[in-house]
Amino acid sequence: MNAGNDPTPADELLTGEDGSGDPDVSTGAKNSENRQTESVSGVETEGSAGASAGEGGAADDGGTTADAESQPPTTADAIGDRSPPAPDIRNDVTGRSTGTGEYEEFVGTFQDRYERLSGLLRRRVNHRPAEAIQSMPGGSEAEMIGLVDDIRSTASGHWIVELEDTTGTFPCLIMKDRAFAPLVDDLLLDECLAVQGTLADDGGILFVDSLHFPDVPRTHKPNTADRHVQAALISDVHVGSQEFAQEAWDRFADWLHTPEAEAVEYLLIGGDMVEGVGVYPDQDEELDVVDIYEQYEAFSEQLKKVPGDMEIVMIPGNHDAVRLAEPQPAFTEELRDIMSAHDARFTGNPSTVTVEGVSVLMYHGVSLDEVIAELPEEKASYDHPHKAMYQLLKKRHVAPQYGGHTRVAPEEKDYLVIDEVPDVFHTGHVHKLGWGKYHNVLAVNSGCWQEQTAFQKSVNIDPDYGHAPILDLDTLDMTVRKFV
Ligand code: D5M
Ligand code: FE
Ligand code: ZN
């Protein structure tokens, strides 16, 4: 686990009332020879490896045409001459990091988070600042938008959710018998919410009548490519680990050279290219390659097995040799040089990458551990990692909770806010395969290329390794190929 502690109280972050916080990033409180095509269900169903597909996702429509950002298709019939158009990249912190780790900067990050997430809620409620609500007479109707600052239960089992905006905080009471009361279980500290309700007679608390999340509109119409073209969505290669699944990787790379994989023009890699060093205690006992640069060289050798004309996009993960705190900038020049084989594109974690008109939000996924730990099993679990992703989409933030396991760096802009609704949300990190649709957004957690480690064995994590989710960019249908 991560060492160190800093739960700088988020309650002071937004208003910047107290400079006593820790001036740094937040840290942890914290088989066969044959390939098979796994069940693949179109996007209407959800799936996870080992589990039956089809829990009835929320999908309803097909796509619309590719948007204006899509570039003209290239003719790429012959294998070995795919030359797809270069992806467009947005919301990348690389080269734009303003953070020096000062406490005041966290205030800026939170203010930016509040500004942008409250912007998504402003059309739904006619909110008043906390300061104004504090002086409203008892019995008034009031609406507020704030970041969740505290969640506590009362002696009689009701909930008090303290919301904070840039002017102050205000307590909101959610009665346990309200239909929306179970939503309290889904709340994470520091996420943005809107409430509507009535002030108590003494004006000191707001009795909540409705609760709103920034969320993804149900009307979201995903973009699709205007030709038949596919992308392989993978992550967590972990080269350098003794458990790196070499045979599965080789089968995957070989398959990419076959006519069957002809349309797979893109390879999106969601972080953890290498096993890294010193990421977890006792990790060195399971290293195959101990030098971090040699690990990237070994990774580069693996990447060279992939057809040279594929367009590759990579973001870093928590095992990679870049700043651990999110948003993580892309790989440094030195590492890019080592991984230069395919003229890959390197971008930060998170980033939005548009391929053939389809926007893909790529995020490594460290916050998923936290979402899974905090939320009820049916809302988020290792066996259904895509459901944890739904929660992030609903909260419109890839790592809502500050001061926990996920390290966050202060930046003037909160790059972790999900500003634009993506067509596809791609994460990794938890080493479990799962996919499904949330309000028409395809969420894919892509498994890994590392067999079970000693740690994973000790905590009963059974990784889904050697699977490659293949996404049809023209239909957003998914096929999972197994190489184990
Ligand atoms: O982590 C892969 C998954 O396993 C992710 O859910 C975290 C968890 N994991 C792996 N090793 C550890 C240790 N040593 N402590 C806590 N959690 C762990 P990844 O970081 O992508 O390899
Ligand atoms: Fe990983
Ligand atoms: Zn990871």
Side-chain angles (χ1 to χ4, degrees):
M1 295 296 288
N2 293 323
N5 278 294
D6 154 29
T8 299
D11 39 338
E12 276 110 32
L13 283 172
L14 201 56
T15 42
E17 284 160 357
D18 180 343
S20 66
D22 188 322
D24 208 341
V25 297
S26 88
T27 58
K30 0 212 172 237
N31 22 1
S32 84
E33 278 297 322
N34 299 329
R35 303 185 287 266
Q36 312 162 15
T37 303
E38 184 173 289
S39 77
V40 210
S41 38
V43 269
E44 275 86 330
T45 50
E46 304 187 346
S48 36
S52 59
E55 302 169 25
D60 43 51
D61 70 81
T64 57
T65 52
D67 70 18
E69 278 167 303
S70 118
Q71 303 177 30
T74 45
T75 331
D77 302 320
I79 302 167
D81 185 24
R82 289 181 250 221
S83 321
D88 163 68
I89 291 169
R90 289 187 306 283
N91 194 50
D92 173 16
V93 69
T94 313
R96 299 191 188 94
S97 177
T98 54
T100 58
E102 294 300 318
Y103 171 81
E104 290 71 24
E105 286 175 323
F106 278 113
V107 176
T109 313
F110 272 72
Q111 281 174 347
D112 181 64
R113 174 185 302 196
Y114 179 76
E115 267 320 300
R116 291 194 291 138
L117 291 178
S118 65
L120 298 173
L121 288 157
R122 255 170 238 158
R123 267 162 274 141
R124 276 175 274 167
V125 293
N126 185 15
H127 77 294
R128 293 278 165 268
E131 209 172 36
I133 297 176
Q134 283 157 7
S135 53
M136 279 164 77
S140 315
E141 302 273 309
E143 304 179 5
M144 180 177 169
I145 301 177
L147 303 186
V148 175
D149 186 38
D150 188 34
I151 306 165
R152 53 187 188 272
S153 60
T154 68
S156 41
H158 304 302
W159 296 98
I160 296 174
V161 177
E162 194 95 35
L163 290 185
E164 178 175 24
D165 65 17
T166 51
T167 68
T169 65
F170 202 82
C172 304
L173 186 84
I174 297 175
M175 308 283 281
K176 64 181 176 197
D177 50 355
R178 300 301 300 251
F180 54 85
L183 288 174
V184 174
D185 288 339
D186 302 358
L187 298 183
L188 292 175
L189 292 178
D190 310 321
E191 71 172 285
C192 190
L193 283 183
V195 293
Q196 294 178 300
T198 312
L199 289 175
D201 289 344
D202 68 359
I205 199 164
L206 182 77
F207 290 99
V208 178
D209 291 322
S210 70
L211 194 69
H212 308 266
F213 295 87
D215 223 324
V216 171
R218 287 176 184 276
T219 51
H220 176 66
K221 292 268 181 277
N223 299 291
T224 52
D226 50 13
R227 65 186 181 110
H228 179 58
V229 54
Q230 298 176 312
L233 271 43
I234 66 164
S235 68
D236 299 274
V237 193
H238 289 266
V239 173
S241 160
Q242 287 169 11
E243 286 81 20
F244 168 59
Q246 183 70 70
E247 287 179 21
W249 180 267
D250 287 346
R251 282 190 210 112
F252 170 52
D254 288 347
W255 175 74
L256 289 171
H257 289 273
T258 66
E260 209 179 12
E262 194 179 349
V264 188
E265 297 184 21
Y266 296 92
L267 178 63
L268 308 185
I269 318 181
D272 286 359
M273 311 301 147
V274 300
E275 175 63 7
V277 292
V279 182
Y280 292 121
D282 301 328
Q283 186 202 15
D284 47 335
E285 290 166 20
E286 291 183 80
L287 288 181
D288 187 29
V289 181
V290 294
D291 180 87
I292 186 76
Y293 292 102
E294 284 173 23
Q295 289 184 3
Y296 282 100
E297 272 154 21
F299 170 73
S300 180
E301 292 308 309
Q302 300 303 330
L303 208 55
K304 284 179 189 162
K305 298 175 183 175
V306 165
D309 54 2
M310 285 184 81
E311 188 73 52
I312 301 177
V313 183
M314 293 187 230
I315 63 165
N318 60 312
H319 285 252
D320 287 302
V322 302
R323 160 174 106 179
L324 188 54
E326 298 173 8
Q328 293 182 285
F331 293 105
T332 57
E333 285 301 329
E334 191 175 10
L335 294 173
R336 292 181 196 205
D337 282 348
I338 299 176
M339 297 183 278
S340 62
H342 281 59
D343 201 17
R345 294 184 161 247
F346 299 94
T347 178
N349 170 39
S351 289
T352 299
V353 178
T354 302
V355 279
E356 308 273 337
V358 177
S359 65
V360 183
L361 169 57
M362 296 179 68
Y363 170 61
H364 178 60
V366 168
S367 69
L368 295 173
D369 283 326
E370 207 154 46
V371 174
I372 290 170
E374 302 269 332
L375 266 49
E377 168 88 22
E378 69 277 11
K379 292 290 176 62
S381 67
Y382 285 108
D383 285 333
H384 299 95
H386 50 290
K387 291 191 182 170
M389 300 172 74
Y390 297 172
Q391 292 291 328
L392 299 178
L393 288 167
K394 184 172 179 178
K395 300 173 192 312
R396 294 289 289 267
H397 199 281
V398 298
Q401 190 156 293
Y402 172 80
H405 180 78
T406 312
R407 293 163 189 240
V408 175
E411 296 289 346
E412 279 167 20
K413 171 180 167 186
D414 186 349
Y415 287 87
L416 307 177
V417 168
I418 305 177
D419 252 341
E420 301 169 44
V421 176
D423 301 319
V424 179
F425 183 21
H426 172 204
T427 61
H429 181 63
V430 297
H431 295 204
K432 296 294 278 184
L433 178 67
W435 70 95
K437 267 199 167 185
Y438 179 75
H439 296 185
N440 300 326
V441 178
L442 177 66
V444 185
N445 196 81
S446 58
C448 63
W449 299 86
Q450 183 186 37
E451 294 184 43
Q452 194 181 46
T453 63
F455 168 82
Q456 289 166 348
K457 193 166 185 191
S458 74
V459 295
N460 254 330
I461 297 178
D462 188 13
D464 295 322
Y465 69 92
H467 298 63
I470 308 293
L471 174 67
D472 264 3
L473 292 166
D474 47 334
T475 60
L476 302 189
D477 282 347
M478 260 240 330
T479 310
V480 175
R481 296 263 162 190
K482 277 189 182 179
F483 300 98
V484 285

